[in-house]
Amino acid sequence: MNNKTHYGTSRVMVECLDCGHMAPFSITAIACPNCNGQWREARYDLEMVKQVLPEAVQSRPFNLWRYRELLPVAGPNPSLLMGEGGTPLIRAANLGMMLGCPNLYIKDERQGPTSSFKDRQAAITITALKDAGITEAVLASTGNVAIAYSAFAARAGIKLWTFLTSLVPAEKMREVAIYGSQVVKVTASYDQVKQVAAEFARQRGLYLERGSRSIPSVEGMKTIAFEMVEQITEIMGPPAAANNHAQAGIPWRSPDWYIQAVSGGLGPHGVQKGFDELWQMGLIDRQPAMAHIQAEGCSPMVHAWLQGREVADPIRSPRTLITTLATGDPGRTYTLLRQRMLAGGGGLFESVNDEEAFRTIHIVAKMEGLSIEPAAAVAFAGLIKMVRAGQIKPSDVVVVNCSGHTMPIEKMILGDNWGRDIEVAPQVLRDTPEEGLFSALSRVTSERFSRIAIVDDTPDARRLIRRILQSQGEYVFYEAANGREAIELAQHELPDLIILDLMMPELDGFSVLDALKNDNRTASIPVIVVTAKELTQEEKARLQGRIHTLMQKGEFLNDDLLDEVTALLK
Ligand SMILES: Cc1ncc(COP(=O)(O)O)c(C=O)c1O
Ligand SMILES: [Zn+2]
């Protein structure tokens, strides 16, 4: 069969959410021909798609076009293709261990063409515009949408007018401009910028990106869900068919939680639609719970959710430094998100403050080696909050959406002392080259950092504690794997602090403490006990007055331990 007719755009219908009217999809038809409603959704012949999709994807490259049967375009345009979608699902072993959440995964959208999940909507929309012969378009953005569309528009030869709030970091604006897009900086709230862009598009009769009301944008976001279930299945195997007859033959496995930072809500809106379609086709074992995380200073959805309301009141003046997430008025997207979430796998709306997000940038970078932007950090900070609140269980499979673009914010969260300078006078180098270099380099390492001894018989536990502390400070670490080593280490190195496990074979933590306190040299070194043991009254009495703090393993989260340590070492 000819590709064009089989996968041609006419196979996609669009249903009006107000009157149910169905019409064939066309990128230029933005309203329902029956009632003029603008809220519509793409519909596919799911009965047909479910027969072909699981097998068809297997022979296709791992990018978002492998799900073309569920997209409103004929297929990839080879001249636009940049390998969009197909981002890795990365296991977050360190963060998972810190949170007691071993099945924690990161959908690394930083690895898309412009480092955010907005590449997906841009790829589909620009492909559809190009197919339709459209050469000029308009959008409003808090940065990432403009960057993604500009990259694809450059390849497509489409002229783009981007309306950005003046709060968007200059680095992001310049990135938009470098692709050749028109940058219009508007000093107003993001909601107002959207109105300005819409009016501009209306006056000129240009295509306008409408977020959740734009069919190609929503459809692009679905591919995150499709990729996720394939990737989780590859890692964990298909749903447990052997134990459960009802699940026999279901090819893909869903996570228990999907976590994403939310501004206007387009991302999760599309992702939920993706899960919904997979569920309707019987291709997944269940729908995941969705966690929508907003910046506290601009969290209209969270307010409405907590009040049990279906409609969110707009926030007129957002108060967050995380401009990417500054949609004050989510409009109907919130209502739809909430409805679909409650009808599907459940979930919640939660917020975190800017400080929590910035702190989380450090944690994710230092524990997982991923440099993420503040908006993505909002999702991770939400994860930490949910684990702490017991909403995420240790056995849950969790996926967090992650994006990049760190450059604009490094200044803000890193402070000034993030590097060291060496200056080597040419004269010195010429006369005594080795000596000159040696003395220059010795200055690099001579700085005095606090010295911490970590005593624990399990290497993983030592590594975890080291990582947690490293994630926010500079320390010199020593490690001891048993009581005897610990005592020797303490006497020899006289560390500034000892972090001590209690349950160790042979010489346990109590005996180590006895030895330390009975030796003048080590008696005054502060000790933090970190233990998995439920202590008896008698044991607690043995520690009383001799240790600084008692922390329960699995209970302490990064900042509790950190706060203790920094307070002690001040
Ligand atoms: C990195 C990142 N996260 C989250 C969002 C929120 O987008 P939305 O709520 O529209 O899905 C954006 C929007 O630009 C973003 O760039
Ligand atoms: Zn209608």
Side-chain angles (χ1 to χ4, degrees):
M1 201 185 293
N2 171 313
N3 243 9
K4 259 283 186 278
T5 47
H6 183 56
Y7 297 130
T9 47
S10 60
R11 88 209 135 79
V12 186
M13 301 297 283
V14 177
E15 182 180 358
C16 174
L17 297 184
D18 292 319
C19 75
H21 179 84
M22 299 280 264
F25 168 72
S26 150
I27 187 149
T28 48
I30 55 165
C32 169
N34 183 44
C35 75
N36 210 29
Q38 294 208 359
W39 289 87
R40 304 191 301 156
E41 279 190 355
R43 300 280 179 254
Y44 304 80
D45 181 353
L46 295 181
E47 274 305 313
M48 185 279 286
V49 174
K50 85 179 198 201
Q51 307 299 332
V52 299
L53 193 69
E55 179 143 2
V57 294
Q58 286 175 28
S59 57
R60 296 177 183 164
F62 194 60
N63 61 47
L64 60 76
W65 298 103
R66 67 204 255 113
Y67 313 106
R68 64 189 65 153
E69 283 83 356
L70 292 170
L71 293 175
V73 274
N77 178 327
S79 65
L80 303 186
L81 206 60
M82 284 201 272
E84 50 274 13
T87 57
L89 189 71
I90 297 175
R91 171 122 194 263
N94 293 320
L95 195 58
M97 188 157 64
M98 178 181 117
L99 297 173
C101 212
N103 298 312
L104 176 61
Y105 296 93
I106 297 173
K107 186 65 174 148
D108 192 10
E109 294 291 292
R110 300 173 322 147
Q111 299 196 39
T114 73
S115 310
S116 85
F117 66 97
K118 301 296 184 180
D119 282 325
R120 296 173 186 270
Q121 79 183 89
I124 305 292
T125 304
I126 298 291
T127 301
L129 291 175
K130 177 98 178 157
D131 283 355
I134 293 169
T135 56
E136 207 168 337
V138 180
L139 59 78
S141 170
T142 54
N144 290 347
V145 168
I147 292 171
Y149 275 70
S150 295
F152 285 93
R155 295 173 74 76
I158 289 174
K159 175 170 179 162
L160 208 57
W161 295 88
T162 65
F163 290 75
L164 305 170
T165 72
S166 50
L167 293 174
V168 171
E171 290 85 346
K172 289 202 185 203
M173 288 198 193
R174 284 199 289 271
E175 191 172 344
V176 176
I178 209 163
Y179 290 119
S181 292
Q182 296 296 317
V183 176
V184 186
K185 218 192 289 186
V186 187
T187 307
S189 74
Y190 181 44
D191 294 321
Q192 291 164 328
V193 174
K194 280 198 258 189
Q195 287 171 9
V196 174
E199 179 55 22
F200 179 84
R202 193 191 62 77
Q203 284 178 13
R204 300 204 169 202
L206 298 177
Y207 178 84
L208 172 71
E209 158 61 40
R210 289 157 200 269
S212 299
R213 288 169 299 157
S214 289
I215 302 283
S217 297
V218 177
E219 299 302 289
M221 293 306 181
K222 290 192 316 193
T223 58
I224 299 175
F226 301 161
E227 288 175 16
M228 230 184 323
V229 299
E230 276 202 82
Q231 289 171 310
I232 288 175
T233 306
E234 196 176 315
I235 296 166
M236 310 188 73
N243 309 328
N244 186 345
H245 262 304
Q247 303 205 331
I250 294 178
W252 292 321
R253 183 194 276 252
S254 289
D256 295 292
W257 281 98
Y258 174 71
I259 306 181
Q260 173 151 8
V262 173
S263 178
L266 170 68
H269 184 56
V271 172
Q272 275 200 41
K273 183 170 189 277
F275 278 116
D276 200 356
E277 288 172 355
L278 291 169
W279 176 248
Q280 286 181 48
M281 291 186 288
L283 298 180
I284 50 174
D285 52 338
R286 71 214 131 108
Q287 299 202 62
M290 303 283 292
H292 308 86
I293 317 293
Q294 297 205 284
E296 199 172 272
C298 187
S299 49
M301 299 195 196
V302 181
H303 292 300
W305 169 251
L306 293 176
Q307 292 165 6
R309 301 185 43 209
E310 283 180 37
V311 178
D313 283 336
I315 303 281
R316 296 288 168 212
S317 357
R319 285 183 212 290
T320 170
L321 293 170
I322 306 174
T323 45
T324 309
L325 301 181
T327 300
D329 183 4
R332 192 162 169 181
T333 306
Y334 164 70
T335 307
L336 295 173
L337 274 178
R338 182 178 181 276
Q339 266 170 11
R340 194 168 241 144
M341 180 181 96
L342 293 175
L348 49 77
F349 293 79
E350 181 57 275
S351 65
V352 297
N353 63 38
D354 289 7
E355 196 191 324
E356 289 168 318
F358 292 149
R359 202 167 182 175
T360 307
I361 291 181
H362 284 285
I363 294 173
V364 176
K366 287 167 178 138
M367 298 194 90
E368 295 300 339
L370 306 180
S371 173
I372 66 174
E373 73 171 290
V378 163
F380 284 93
L383 160 78
I384 293 173
K385 196 166 183 176
M386 288 168 63
V387 169
R388 204 173 257 172
Q391 287 153 325
I392 292 178
K393 297 192 300 294
S395 59
D396 285 347
V397 178
V398 181
V399 177
V400 186
N401 181 308
C402 176
S403 57
H405 284 295
T406 42
M407 274 111 64
I409 46 88
E410 279 159 3
K411 289 195 286 287
M412 224 152 71
I413 67 157
L414 219 44
D416 292 327
N417 296 320
W418 50 268
R420 302 189 178 93
D421 297 328
I422 306 182
E423 267 178 50
V424 183
Q427 179 72 29
V428 175
L429 261 190
R430 203 173 326 118
D431 301 345
T432 49
E434 265 177 41
E435 228 173 90
L437 276 182
F438 180 78
S439 78
L441 284 174
S442 68
R443 258 173 282 147
V444 173
T445 50
S446 64
E447 221 170 310
R448 172 113 177 24
F449 295 119
S450 295
R451 299 148 67 245
I452 301 179
I454 302 171
V455 184
D456 202 307
D457 57 325
T458 34
D460 271 355
R462 296 198 300 272
R463 186 168 63 101
L464 176 63
I465 291 171
R466 202 176 61 219
R467 290 271 184 159
I468 290 174
L469 295 173
Q470 259 169 349
S471 78
Q472 315 227 338
E474 293 261 27
Y475 304 103
V476 175
F477 291 106
Y478 305 97
E479 293 184 22
N482 58 53
R484 222 164 293 281
E485 268 181 41
I487 296 165
E488 274 169 31
L489 173 67
Q491 290 168 347
H492 198 250
E493 297 291 347
L494 298 176
D496 300 306
L497 167 69
I498 297 174
I499 296 178
L500 180 65
D501 181 25
L502 284 183
M503 287 196 302
M504 294 182 288
E506 296 177 45
L507 213 56
D508 66 9
F510 294 103
S511 319
V512 172
L513 198 59
D514 288 340
L516 293 175
K517 295 299 164 192
N518 290 335
D519 184 329
N520 279 340
R521 289 167 299 173
T522 55
S524 61
I525 301 175
V527 176
I528 292 179
V529 167
V530 171
T531 180
K533 186 171 162 54
E534 199 54 59
L535 296 188
T536 63
Q537 281 310 325
E538 190 197 338
E539 284 168 331
K540 280 188 187 153
R542 274 183 82 184
L543 299 176
Q544 185 72 38
R546 311 179 76 198
I547 65 165
H548 185 79
T549 326
L550 174 66
M551 305 195 91
Q552 213 68 36
K553 260 186 209 170
E555 202 172 81
F556 71 86
L557 278 156
N558 58 308
D559 24 356
D560 295 343
L561 180 63
L562 263 173
D563 290 348
E564 289 297 332
V565 169
T566 24
L568 255 176
L569 294 177
K570 248 191 193 127

